[in-house]
Amino acid sequence: MATIIESVTITSPSNLRMALPATMTSPPVFSLSSRQKAGALPEFAGLKIQSTSKRTPASLNSRSSRVFRRGGGIVCEAQETALDVPIVTDMTWKSLVLKADGPVLVEFWAPWCGPCRMIHPVIGELSMQYAGKLKCFKLSTDDSPSIATQYGIRSIPTIMIFINGEKKDAVIGAVPKTTLTATIEKFL
């Protein structure tokens, strides 16, 4: 019959003591604990790292006294940066791209394409930057393969510029914003 251990304490091996800062008198202790209910598997309650020193190894080498305090949280400051670029499909291609007044930028992309997802925010920024001067759309090559084939799209992302329904230029790959801006400026 197997027994379940309520708490396990593991100390670091003695050969790691050489790597510890001189001010630490004992190695860190790692404690795993669980609560056991009758007839149930043990529930993992967390990993606790305990150390006798409250100072970071980096602060031990510096002259200033910095104290390591727990309890601070990690805050993600990432925001939704991709602006929504309108979608063009087989049915809307003629009206939105070919019969449009002025230049039109079309990004050929696919949902599974990593570089396409990298360039989406750039296309969104360009649509804001050139609002009123340039119309920006994106076309999923998975949803509209006939248009992608018609224009010879073999790599994505591919960004094409159309004027009066005619393809004027194409940029292939996830390129910097400056490259796209230079291409756009040629046709404004």
Side-chain angles (χ1 to χ4, degrees):
M1 174 177 236
T3 59
I4 298 175
I5 300 173
E6 290 291 321
S7 177
V8 177
T9 301
I10 305 167
T11 58
S12 61
S14 60
N15 61 352
L16 291 180
R17 290 183 191 209
M18 299 297 283
L20 295 174
T23 57
M24 289 183 73
T25 57
S26 65
V29 176
F30 302 92
S31 177
L32 299 172
S33 63
S34 64
R35 295 184 184 151
Q36 173 66 30
K37 294 180 182 177
L41 293 174
E43 176 186 335
F44 181 70
L47 174 65
K48 297 177 185 175
I49 300 175
Q50 300 170 341
S51 175
T52 56
S53 174
K54 297 291 183 197
R55 296 179 67 174
T56 62
S59 69
L60 296 172
N61 294 333
S62 68
R63 291 184 181 185
S64 65
S65 172
R66 291 184 215 144
V67 178
F68 175 77
R69 293 186 180 102
R70 290 187 167 221
I74 297 172
V75 179
C76 179
E77 296 179 355
Q79 298 176 3
E80 184 64 36
T81 57
L83 302 172
D84 218 11
V85 176
I87 296 171
V88 65
T89 63
D90 288 331
M91 289 196 257
T92 59
W93 179 259
K94 189 178 257 184
S95 63
L96 294 177
V97 178
L98 300 181
K99 293 186 177 182
D101 295 331
V104 178
L105 180 143
V106 179
E107 174 196 2
F108 291 85
W109 71 289
W112 47 263
C113 170
C116 298
R117 284 183 266 137
M118 289 171 44
I119 205 164
H120 281 323
V122 175
I123 301 298
E125 290 171 15
L126 290 171
S127 72
M128 294 287 288
Q129 182 178 338
Y130 292 102
K133 299 177 186 176
L134 175 75
K135 293 178 185 174
C136 295
F137 297 103
K138 60 184 182 180
L139 180 132
S140 171
T141 56
D142 288 350
D143 296 338
S144 302
S146 61
I147 294 178
T149 303
Q150 180 182 347
Y151 288 95
I153 304 298
R154 294 185 176 265
S155 296
I156 52 174
T158 295
I159 292 86
M160 287 189 178
I161 298 181
F162 295 85
I163 298 178
N164 298 325
E166 185 182 337
K167 175 186 153 189
K168 295 293 183 181
D169 203 353
V171 177
I172 300 170
V175 296
K177 184 178 178 181
T178 53
T179 303
L180 293 174
T181 302
T183 303
I184 292 168
E185 290 289 334
K186 292 189 291 188
F187 300 104
L188 293 181

